[in-house]
Every structure is written in C-alpha cells, then in structure tokens.
Amino acid sequence: MIVAGVGFSSGAAAAEIVALVRRAESLAGHAAEILAAPDFKEDAACLREAVQTLGLPLRLVDRAALAAAQENCPTQSEVAAQVVGLGSVAEACALAGAGEKSHLLVARLTQGNVTCALAGDLP
C-alpha cells in the first residue's frame, strides 16, 4: 500500500495539495492509494476538495501516531515544530498511514503552503 502524507498551512489550496501529491507520485514511479493527513486538519476545505479531486480515500492520523512516527522522519521543520508541536507532519502522516512495515519512498517535498511525502510497504 502506498500512502501520500500531507501537511499544509491554513492558506493552502486544494490545487497545491493535488499538484504536490502528483509530483511525489511521479518521483516514486508509483501512485498513491490513500491520502493521509493529520486529524487536526480534518475540517479543512482544501483537504476535502483535494481528496475528491484525487479520488483517494482519506486516512486521518491522530497526534499520538504522528508523534510515534517522528523518529523515522528524516526531515524536521522548526516551523512545524513551533506551530503544531511536531517536527514532521507529511512524512509522519505517510509512515503512520502506511503501517509499521512501511518506509519512505519520497521524503518530504515542499511547494508553497503544502508538504507531501510518500511511504509504502514496497521492498
């Protein structure tokens, strides 16, 4: 299973999320099967619109799972750590969403107001 994990600021647009997920898929050579996002962004209109555009199921990741995944996230953001208390959001969402045996296929990409990473249980 391949999971695209995303993080985004309040100024993000759905088109930004979609474009960055597509870029990550292109770099990985694999399509995402699930979009994972932090549960504290559940009500964001841009997330719901992106899910609809991408045609992917949404997996919301809770703070405890995001925190547990931090040790496996090579990219840490001081800004994210200050704003949400976690140094990695996109990578943590991807890893937590893809399960215990997953690894990063594409480390965090950043474009505009969005970050994205891909994780999966591929060899």
Side-chain angles (χ1 to χ4, degrees):
M1 166 181 26
I2 298 174
V3 176
V6 295
F8 51 91
S9 67
S10 58
E16 289 180 286
I17 296 172
V18 171
L20 201 53
V21 168
R22 295 294 186 224
R23 183 172 152 216
E25 289 174 326
S26 177
L27 289 170
H30 296 284
E33 299 166 80
I34 294 172
L35 185 68
D39 64 357
F40 54 82
K41 293 285 191 171
E42 177 178 15
D43 296 329
C46 64
L47 178 61
R48 296 294 173 186
E49 186 179 334
V51 165
Q52 204 166 33
T53 301
L54 291 164
L56 295 174
L58 176 61
R59 178 168 294 162
L60 295 170
V61 182
D62 66 31
R63 189 170 287 277
L66 292 172
Q70 294 299 301
E71 67 184 30
N72 296 313
C73 299
T75 311
Q76 298 290 312
S77 164
E78 289 182 28
V79 173
Q82 290 174 349
V83 174
V84 298
L86 299 162
S88 177
V89 176
E91 290 174 345
C93 281
L95 288 165
E100 288 182 18
K101 296 184 181 189
S102 67
H103 60 275
L104 287 175
L105 303 173
V106 176
R108 184 187 78 185
L109 302 172
T110 303
Q111 186 173 329
N113 297 306
V114 179
T115 59
C116 179
L118 252 59
D121 51 10
L122 300 176

